[in-house]
Amino acid sequence: MKKSLRLLAVLLAFLHEISATQLQLNGEIRDNQLPANIGSPALLTCEVVNNTNAETLMWYRGTQQVDVKAENNVNVSHVCIPNVTSEDNGVSFTCLLKSDTSVKLSMQLNVPFNPVLSGDTIINGEESKTVQIICGFKANPAAAMFWRKNEKLFTLPDHYKQDMTTDSLHLTIEKVTKKDSANYTCVALSNGTETTRVFELIVADRKEELPVEAIAAAVVVGALIIAFAIFARRDKIFRCKKAEDETAM
Ligand SMILES: *[C@@H]1O[C@H](CO)[C@@H](O)[C@H](O)[C@H]1NC(C)=O
Ligand SMILES: *[C@@H]1O[C@H](CO)[C@@H](O)[C@H](O)[C@H]1NC(C)=O
């Protein structure tokens, strides 16, 4: 008896599973990527399957809800991006059941574009200080990133350090000298083509700084001189007064 009940429960769960309201996004039943090209439209179609009632659909672009007209949100709904740009790369569109928002599917736009490099191209350094050259980049597919110095590949000397984040390549030079003054080319290599941006590092003499101790000493000496002057004057005034007193007498 117990055994058959358990069997029935499993069977019901299975039936629920195959009859449960599901979504299809561009015909896919799992989260997926949508290849799209710059300047072309991209179309997303979300459809409810296995539903017994009319179902309302909702859309999100990233974390922002997308407004869709009432005639475009029952059982099936379309969203169109008329003119895809590189900014749309990586953006996720999610379709959800309004009656049960745990039922959802996402599609991430995959927009190929040539690498774009950015950053201040003139870097002013000062001898013995640390300078950092920052080359911002965006690319899809990912590009190989590296530096050239005066148009030559070079092995990084000890006082050079290179690191990279998801969107920038950094070249840090510690205790910079005038010999480090050069044109540093940030190179993005993608599909056999190079995209470059030249950063010019100009190292100047170290600025003379007034040492703090010397200033402090000067202030103390100055104060002493003033105090001494007042003291000396007081002595004179005192003496003068004394003299006056004496003459008055
Ligand atoms: C949505 O689907 C349900 C279930 O199949 C159906 O009863 C309803 O008429 C459909 N509504 C529209 C507007 O297509
Ligand atoms: C960088 O390149 C420019 C143009 O070729 C050149 O005039 C300049 O002197 C170079 N700068 C350095 C620091 O080598």
Side-chain angles (χ1 to χ4, degrees), residues 86-87 89 113-120 133-147 162-171 185-190 195-197 199:
S86 63
E87 296 293 309
N89 182 54
F113 60 93
N114 292 329
V116 181
L117 304 179
S118 59
D120 281 342
I133 308 174
I134 301 169
C135 174
F137 65 82
K138 275 187 190 168
N140 183 39
M145 302 293 306
F146 55 93
W147 292 103
Q162 180 185 296
D163 49 341
M164 198 160 93
T165 69
T166 52
D167 58 6
S168 60
L169 181 70
H170 299 193
L171 186 65
T185 307
C186 173
V187 187
L189 183 63
S190 174
T195 305
T196 60
R197 189 173 176 88
F199 295 82

Side-chain angles (χ1 to χ4, degrees), residues 15 42 44 132 148 152 161 244:
L15 284 175
L44 293 134
Q132 193 171 48
R148 276 200 298 256
K152 284 189 203 80
K161 208 177 79 208
E244 265 173 33

Side-chain angles (χ1 to χ4, degrees), residues 98-153:
K98 196 178 180 188
S99 62
D100 178 3
T101 53
S102 72
V103 179
K104 58 185 173 183
L105 271 184
S106 290
M107 211 159 235
Q108 193 182 35
L109 292 185
N110 184 352
V111 185
F113 60 93
N114 292 329
V116 181
L117 304 179
S118 59
D120 281 342
T121 53
I122 304 285
I123 294 100
N124 289 299
E126 201 183 305
E127 277 223 298
S128 83
K129 295 253 169 114
T130 300
V131 292
Q132 193 171 48
I133 308 174
I134 301 169
C135 174
F137 65 82
K138 275 187 190 168
N140 183 39
M145 302 293 306
F146 55 93
W147 292 103
R148 276 200 298 256
K149 183 177 180 177
N150 292 329
E151 277 310 310
K152 284 189 203 80
L153 280 174

Side-chain angles (χ1 to χ4, degrees), residues 11-143:
L11 191 67
L12 282 175
F14 175 73
L15 284 175
H16 177 76
E17 188 69 22
I18 59 161
S19 67
T21 302
Q22 285 185 325
L23 294 176
Q24 282 191 0
L25 186 48
N26 284 15
E28 303 279 353
I29 56 161
R30 288 199 175 76
D31 288 348
N32 225 294
Q33 287 216 336
L34 178 65
N37 292 317
I38 290 176
S40 300
L43 183 68
L44 293 134
T45 300
C46 184
E47 204 177 338
V48 187
V49 290
N50 291 338
N51 55 322
T52 43
N53 306 310
E55 293 286 355
T56 303
L57 296 167
M58 298 193 311
W59 286 97
Y60 275 86
R61 182 194 194 277
T63 55
Q64 290 261 293
Q65 193 169 355
V66 178
D67 275 329
V68 283
K69 294 206 174 81
E71 62 265 30
N72 178 28
N73 69 4
V74 182
N75 294 351
V76 57
S77 179
H78 307 280
V79 161
C80 179
I81 303 131
N83 192 353
V84 170
T85 70
S86 63
E87 296 293 309
D88 295 315
N89 182 54
V91 172
S92 274
F93 282 85
T94 307
C95 170
L96 312 91
L97 267 193
K98 196 178 180 188
S99 62
D100 178 3
T101 53
S102 72
V103 179
K104 58 185 173 183
L105 271 184
S106 290
M107 211 159 235
Q108 193 182 35
L109 292 185
N110 184 352
V111 185
F113 60 93
N114 292 329
V116 181
L117 304 179
S118 59
D120 281 342
T121 53
I122 304 285
I123 294 100
N124 289 299
E126 201 183 305
E127 277 223 298
S128 83
K129 295 253 169 114
T130 300
V131 292
Q132 193 171 48
I133 308 174
I134 301 169
C135 174
F137 65 82
K138 275 187 190 168
N140 183 39

